[in-house]
């Protein structure tokens, strides 16, 4: 499949990724005299900061996703393609697709996001899945609620305790928010739903290798967050270095002693690295990568030596004029996306744009009901006010008005009733295995035949099967 440009005389911008970086770049270019092609292997934008609420039954996945075609439907200069990018040919200015096709570009914006980082222990992923996609959140939701169901059936007390123990590796915002949500679920939502177990006896353990949780926050806010977690019944271990993970067991070292936790549900929230596309782009362009696999970009977000290729969001290592590289958070990706759009228009007009400068508006994390911490350059505070600020900003960052309304209503219902509607067990792990097997079958059939698949997209073939 070779996609030909309809109007060769116009500037063609190809955007890889429909996350915060890619989507906001497309929106910022909506009125520009360019043609935009957005490529993503999914057909929707996912609001990742609220994935943990999907995993704990607070929200449905549909509440935090928006179809890319719907969001961009009013932009006549934009088309959306569901496809998987596998590589780059910067000399020919083409993006290579999984099915063997390619897309030409004049300017390329790469915003493919990040994946979980297991620090050389990728085999831990099966026992301790992360949470970077909607599939991950649904699978994790299955594991959490299935653990309570299995505990209800368990006859052996040790087995019941294992089912009722949840271990979270990583004390950053994701780990802290997930631990707080699990504690709220076990202590306030599920009591009364079971007959043989007391869900309040659930043990939630948070393991952090550093000296404190929320290390990116000031120490006072980190300590406040830890106190809030302990008040909710979460066991927090700092200085805990994980040495081994297998199904049902976590081994970690703390204060020169080795400890073991028997936990049916283990969740990885200890770090991320750039999408594998960063390595593919570095190989094609000769660019450098940092330890997290991010591309070290120039002050204008371009790949050094390739001004027509811009890298933004979680894939970009930007440290110009800073003490440390910018973190992989949504505000960074959004500001870089808008800068990239302005840069493209400035180049087309023959203007010179100043280098990118990030305006730090702060960070926040929620721990539980009426518990959150907010860290801005001006204000640093926690408690109920921080919780309401967190709620307001997260609602406003949702892309579509419909999502904002649905989430607001759902949160109001949860607040007054402490009930969570998204508690279905869908057996996503089995579905993912079936999909992987089906995909391998489709690809092997395509490889063994001279005839091309009808759609040229194995995912589309799979969905029809």
């Amino acid at each position: 499949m070779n996609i030909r440009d309809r109007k060769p005389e116009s500037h063609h911008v190809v955007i890889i990724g429909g996350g915060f970086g890619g989507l906001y770049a497309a929106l910022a270019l909506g009125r520009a005299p360019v043609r935009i092609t957005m490529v993503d292997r999914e057909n929707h934008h996912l609001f990742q900061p609220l994935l943990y609420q999907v995993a704990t039954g607070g929200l449905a996945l549909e509440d935090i996703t928006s179809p890319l075609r719907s969001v961009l439907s009013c932009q006549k200069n934009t088309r959306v393609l569901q496809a998987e990018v596998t590589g780059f040919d910067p000399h020919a200015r083409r993006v290579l697709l999984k099915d063997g096709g390619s897309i030409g570009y004049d300017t390329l914006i790469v915003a493919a996001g990040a994946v979980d980082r297991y620090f050389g222990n990728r085999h831990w992923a099966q026992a301790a899945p992360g949470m970077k996609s909607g599939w991950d959140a649904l699978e994790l939701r299955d594991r959490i609620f299935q653990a309570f169901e299995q505990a209800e059936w368990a006859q052996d007390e040790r087995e019941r305790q294992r089912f009722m123990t949840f271990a979270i590796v990583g004390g950053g915002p994701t780990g802290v928010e997930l631990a707080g949500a699990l504690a709220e679920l076990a202590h306030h939502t599920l009591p009364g739903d079971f007959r043989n177990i007391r869900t309040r006896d659930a043990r939630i353990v948070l393991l952090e290798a550093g000296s404190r949780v929320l290390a990116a926050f000031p120490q006072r806010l980190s300590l406040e967050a830890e106190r809030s977690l302990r008040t909710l019944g979460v066991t927090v271990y700092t200085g805990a270095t994980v040495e081994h993970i297998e199904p049902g067991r976590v081994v970690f070292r703390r204060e020169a002693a080795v400890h073991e936790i028997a936990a049916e549900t283990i969740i990885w929230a200890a770090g991320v690295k750039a999408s594998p596309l960063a390595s593919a782009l570095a190989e094609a362009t000769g660019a450098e990568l940092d330890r997290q696999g991010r591309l070290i970009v120039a002050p204008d977000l371009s790949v050094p030596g390739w001004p027509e290729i811009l890298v933004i969001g979680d894939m970009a290592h930007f440290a110009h004029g800073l003490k440390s590289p910018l973190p992989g958070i949504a505000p960074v990706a959004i500001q870089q996306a808008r800068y990239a759009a302005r840069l493209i228009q400035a180049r087309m007009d023959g203007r010179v744009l100043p280098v990118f400068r990030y305006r730090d508006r702060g960070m926040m994390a929620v721990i539980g009901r009426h518990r959150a911490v907010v860290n801005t350059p001006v204000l640093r505070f926690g408690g109920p006010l921080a919780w309401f600020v967190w709620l307001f900003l997260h609602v406003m960052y949702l892309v579509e008005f419909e999502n904002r309304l649905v989430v607001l209503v759902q949160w109001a219902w949860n607040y007054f009733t402490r009930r969570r509607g998204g508690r279905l067990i869908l057996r996503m792990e089995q579905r993912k295995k079936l999909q992987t097997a089906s995909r391998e079958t489709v690809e092997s059939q395509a490889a063994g035949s001279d005839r091309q698949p009808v759609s040229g997209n194995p995912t589309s073939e799979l969905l029809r099967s």
Side-chain angles (χ1 to χ4, degrees), residues 42-336:
E42 306 291 350
N43 74 334
H44 57 266
H45 168 76
L46 175 67
F47 192 81
Q48 284 188 334
L50 292 180
L51 271 178
Y52 80 95
Q53 293 213 4
V54 175
T56 54
L59 294 172
L61 182 60
E62 292 79 3
D63 297 340
I64 63 168
T65 55
S66 300
L68 289 170
R69 293 186 184 279
S70 175
V71 176
L72 299 170
S73 60
C74 294
Q75 296 188 188
K76 301 305 180 184
N77 66 342
T78 305
R79 59 180 174 178
V80 177
L81 296 176
Q82 185 179 5
E84 185 171 352
V85 175
T86 57
F88 306 88
D89 184 351
H91 298 282
R93 294 196 179 187
R94 303 200 73 81
V95 173
L96 309 180
L97 304 180
K98 185 176 181 179
D99 66 358
S102 64
I103 305 174
Y105 63 83
D106 295 304
T107 297
L108 176 64
I109 299 177
V110 187
V115 297
D116 291 300
R117 183 186 183 191
Y118 286 87
F119 303 95
N121 298 286
R122 187 65 194 175
H123 56 284
W124 291 354
Q126 184 175 359
M131 195 172 51
K132 298 301 294 181
S133 70
W135 286 97
D136 295 336
L138 291 176
E139 181 185 339
L140 185 54
R141 186 180 72 182
D142 277 3
R143 293 193 181 203
I144 290 170
F145 289 104
Q146 190 65 54
F148 286 108
E149 295 291 343
Q150 291 174 305
E152 177 80 353
W153 276 92
Q155 301 299 316
D156 180 74
E157 181 60 28
R158 292 182 62 183
E159 185 181 25
R160 182 182 294 112
Q161 290 178 358
R162 177 171 60 84
F163 286 131
M164 297 272 286
T165 300
F166 302 85
I168 303 169
V169 182
T174 299
V176 167
E177 291 174 345
L178 190 52
L182 274 172
E184 294 275 355
L185 177 69
H187 298 162
H188 300 291
T189 301
L190 295 182
D193 288 3
F194 294 86
R195 297 296 175 263
N196 295 331
I197 61 172
R198 281 172 41 91
T199 61
R200 290 188 178 93
D201 293 337
R203 184 187 181 202
I204 296 118
V205 181
L206 181 64
L207 303 173
E208 166 56 37
S211 59
R212 56 189 175 93
V213 300
L214 299 180
F217 287 68
Q219 185 172 10
R220 179 178 65 84
L221 295 181
S222 294
L223 295 176
E224 182 172 345
E226 184 173 336
R227 284 194 297 269
S228 295
L229 286 172
R230 295 186 188 279
T231 301
L232 286 170
V234 178
T235 302
V236 180
Y237 290 125
T238 55
T241 304
V242 172
E243 295 190 342
H244 179 70
I245 297 177
E246 63 183 42
R249 190 168 74 103
V250 181
V251 179
F252 66 95
R253 182 177 295 276
R254 185 170 186 258
E255 296 178 353
V258 177
H259 305 267
E260 179 180 320
I261 297 175
E264 178 68 14
T265 306
I266 308 168
I267 305 167
W268 186 264
V272 297
K273 62 180 181 180
S275 163
L277 285 181
S279 297
L281 184 56
E283 183 178 355
T285 61
E288 294 184 46
L289 299 174
D290 68 4
R291 295 179 62 182
Q292 292 178 260
R294 299 179 298 180
L295 274 154
I296 299 177
V297 297
D300 63 354
L301 303 179
S302 66
V303 176
W306 304 88
E308 71 279 5
I309 304 177
L310 307 177
V311 180
I312 62 177
D314 294 347
M315 291 182 63
H317 172 112
F318 186 96
H320 301 282
L322 304 172
K323 294 181 180 179
S324 60
L326 292 176
I329 56 177
V332 172
I334 292 172
Q335 289 188 37
Q336 290 180 337

Side-chain angles (χ1 to χ4, degrees), residues 29-42:
L29 289 167
R31 295 182 180 274
V34 298
R35 288 180 304 108
I36 305 168
T37 298
M38 172 173 283
V39 185
D40 196 301
R41 61 182 179 183
E42 306 291 350

